[in-house]
Amino acid sequence: MRKIIPITFVISTLFALNQGIEYWKETTQPNAKNFELVIAAEKAAKEETTLTKVKNLYEGIAGFLTDQLLNFSTGSSNNVNVNCPVLPVPTIAFTDANVSSTFAGCSGISLTATGCGSNTTRWYQNGFFQSTGTTFTGYPNTNSNYYAECWDGSACTSTQSNLLQVPVWNLKVTPTTVPPTICSGLTVELTAEISNASSTSFPLAPSYQWMREGNNIPSAINKNYTATSSGFYSVKVNIPAPFTNSCTANGYAPQINFLPTPTISPTTPTEVCPGNAVTMEWNYDYMFFQGSGSVTFQWNKGGVPISGATSTTFIATQGPGAYTLTVSKNGCANTSTAINVTNSGTPPIQKPVIRDQNGTAVASTVYVCGAGQLFANGCANTQTIKWFRQGSDYVQSTGSSVFASGSPYGSKYYARCFDGETCGGTGSDTVTVKSTMVQIVKTVGPTDCNPTLLTASSTPSTQVTFQWMKNYTDINGATGHQYSTNEASEYWVRASFTNLLNNGTCINYSTSTSTTSTQAVTTPVINACAGANPGTCTPLVSPITTYSGSPVTLQASNCNANVVWSTGATSTSIVVSATGTYTALCTNTTCTSPNSNAIQVIVSACSSSVTLTHPTNDITSNPNANGNLRQASASNGSITATNWITGNGTKVTYEAKSITLSPGFTADTGTIFTASTGGCN
């Protein structure tokens, strides 16, 4: 049995207590558990905790600091000699009587101690205290020696029990490293190895199950397995009785990468006209890129490498033959099966012509309402017409026509004559098929006095009419390609196309365009009427000739603010009786419009005698009765006329006291001539 070293401490202060602890640490060999308790007591003392708490901590140190050693109630010092009785020596064994060795790394161990009687059993692993109790369960991760002691709960322990050696067996798969790429025809021998720090002779007979990518490999139930394909390999080992419960361990091999055999496919027919190419490509396989190392490609014809053919896609222009692909990595190389290229047929010499439904050759660009039909002829009777879209080898249609889809930017179509399925001649001229479209281009003026200008941009820009809409409603008269507004609203434009491919028509709508309100004013329009403030306007066309006493009324319209005339007047209409050129503008507090159209008025003096001769005073092509008014004095005036009046719809009025139409006067058919008494004053 062990006996505690007698030590005398003088403990009258916390300082003396700490000194005693330091002495114990330096002069004894405490086990791990006692040492931890002493450190805790030391910490409590340094923190000046209660003496009772320090006492409780020290009571947990087996065989050392006891109530007899430390009399906290008096603070006095005593010389302490501990005489330990002889304690029984325990015997330990595996709890399962069948177990003499164990695969502890898998299932752990269970030990049982006998012989301590009423004393407490203390367990140790490799000399370190573990726990108390008649049984012990542990999960060592290294080879371990276990023993036990009987402890009286105070300061005394027994001699150590018998020693049980527990080896920890570990499972691994060898080899632990393999080359990044393994060439075809080779294998990798995998072995499940169970060992511990000192032995590879596992005393039991486990069972094995090898797996690839987590799936059981049929019949792979031996310690060794020969891998012939790529993947992640592992082995499951079942440890049998004599354990109470069998247990399972898993071992993992490094990833194994065998170089695969490449496969290739043609993307165009392999039976072609002499001189035509065949396109072929490697079928991507991610297994080529497992592990380190670069992958290289080499195309071959008849087993001979083709210079420069080192990409994953190959266009074979070398004529008939067997084409293969060799893929290499890390010194290994595999070759695909061959694609056989053959020749057949004779390339046609004919070149087809693309036409519309009327048989007329179409222009290089045609317009359709979404799509339209193209026609072609010019191939021999024994040949076939095939249609293609530029940029694609895919046959769009076979036959004399194709339904061609348009796009705003144009889809390009062409046709070829074929002798057989794969032997094609020269392609026709390319026709670009565009779909109609319209959009609005908005131009905001430089200042708030400028209206927002909306411009319709269409494809095509000819053979099209427009109708502007505001809030889904047609704007009356807004049919030009531009429209200006100072309102905040939503605008659209509707485009009507004619004379498209095959005499087609189409209606397209633009997307909506939002505008904001501005201070812009509109430019007024002046109309001239005969008389002073007439109830019914008889329109006059500038220049207007009138006479004293026959005024002209000018009316301004289309102004969204205030009208200001060139005379300074501010009403919407004015009466003029003086010769001059008259304009108007529209204005508000911020903005002023450009001048309106100009009206020229010529006021002649009222004469007693007017002579109209040919050709000086001829009147032609002016459907304006008052603009073609000729007057003499109403009281004594006369008009003598030998002039000509010509032009279908021309209106002329003569007014005087007397009117003489002398020989030579002519008023053509279709003219409107009036002669009446009256005149100017």
Side-chain angles (χ1 to χ4, degrees), residues 579-668:
T579 298
T581 299
Y582 298 88
T583 59
L585 51 81
C586 193
T587 184
N588 56 27
T589 56
T590 304
C591 307
T592 300
S593 74
N595 283 329
S596 67
N597 57 308
I599 299 294
Q600 183 182 8
V601 178
I602 302 170
V603 180
S604 301
C606 189
S607 175
S608 60
S609 177
V610 175
T611 301
L612 303 174
T613 61
H614 170 73
T616 303
N617 304 112
D618 288 349
I619 302 172
T620 182
S621 300
N622 190 349
N624 186 341
N626 293 79
N628 294 329
L629 176 65
R630 302 294 183 264
Q631 290 180 320
S633 174
S635 59
N636 59 2
S638 64
I639 295 177
T640 301
T642 58
N643 62 326
W644 293 2
I645 300 173
T646 61
N648 187 42
T650 300
K651 298 177 181 181
V652 177
T653 300
Y654 293 170
E655 292 181 351
K657 178 69 173 179
S658 65
I659 299 171
T660 302
L661 303 177
S662 300
F665 172 81
T666 300
D668 282 351

Side-chain angles (χ1 to χ4, degrees), residues 475-651:
I475 302 172
N476 186 35
T479 58
H481 81 287
Q482 289 184 322
Y483 181 77
S484 62
T485 179
N486 62 350
E487 297 181 33
S489 191
E490 293 285 329
Y491 290 89
W492 290 261
V493 66
R494 180 175 66 246
S496 300
F497 298 91
T498 59
N499 201 31
L500 303 177
L501 176 66
N502 300 325
N503 300 318
T505 61
C506 193
I507 295 177
N508 293 129
Y509 289 82
S510 70
T511 57
S512 65
T513 297
S514 300
T515 58
T516 56
S517 61
T518 68
Q519 295 295 318
V521 291
T522 55
T523 302
V525 177
I526 300 178
N527 295 314
C529 305
N533 300 316
T536 301
C537 179
T538 300
L540 303 177
V541 177
S542 179
I544 300 170
T545 300
T546 187
Y547 297 89
S548 299
S550 298
V552 174
T553 298
L554 303 181
Q555 298 175 336
S557 61
N558 195 49
C559 176
N560 62 345
N562 302 313
V563 176
V564 178
W565 293 90
S566 53
T567 62
T570 57
S571 59
T572 57
S573 65
I574 60 174
V575 178
V576 296
S577 56
T579 298
T581 299
Y582 298 88
T583 59
L585 51 81
C586 193
T587 184
N588 56 27
T589 56
T590 304
C591 307
T592 300
S593 74
N595 283 329
S596 67
N597 57 308
I599 299 294
Q600 183 182 8
V601 178
I602 302 170
V603 180
S604 301
C606 189
S607 175
S608 60
S609 177
V610 175
T611 301
L612 303 174
T613 61
H614 170 73
T616 303
N617 304 112
D618 288 349
I619 302 172
T620 182
S621 300
N622 190 349
N624 186 341
N626 293 79
N628 294 329
L629 176 65
R630 302 294 183 264
Q631 290 180 320
S633 174
S635 59
N636 59 2
S638 64
I639 295 177
T640 301
T642 58
N643 62 326
W644 293 2
I645 300 173
T646 61
N648 187 42
T650 300
K651 298 177 181 181

Side-chain angles (χ1 to χ4, degrees), residues 352-426:
V353 177
I354 299 180
R355 303 179 183 276
D356 62 18
Q357 65 182 9
N358 300 317
T360 303
V362 299
S364 59
T365 300
V366 297
Y367 297 92
V368 296
C369 193
Q373 196 169 14
L374 295 173
F375 300 83
N377 62 6
C379 297
N381 291 335
T382 59
Q383 297 169 355
T384 302
I385 298 176
K386 292 187 179 183
W387 294 87
F388 298 88
R389 193 169 177 172
Q390 195 172 73
S392 171
D393 294 327
Y394 177 73
V395 177
Q396 303 292 314
S397 178
T398 299
S400 60
S401 66
V402 65
F403 198 69
S405 298
S407 71
Y409 303 102
S411 302
K412 299 181 183 296
Y413 287 83
Y414 65 94
R416 295 171 63 191
C417 299
F418 273 76
D419 181 8
E421 278 298 312
T422 61
C423 204
T426 303

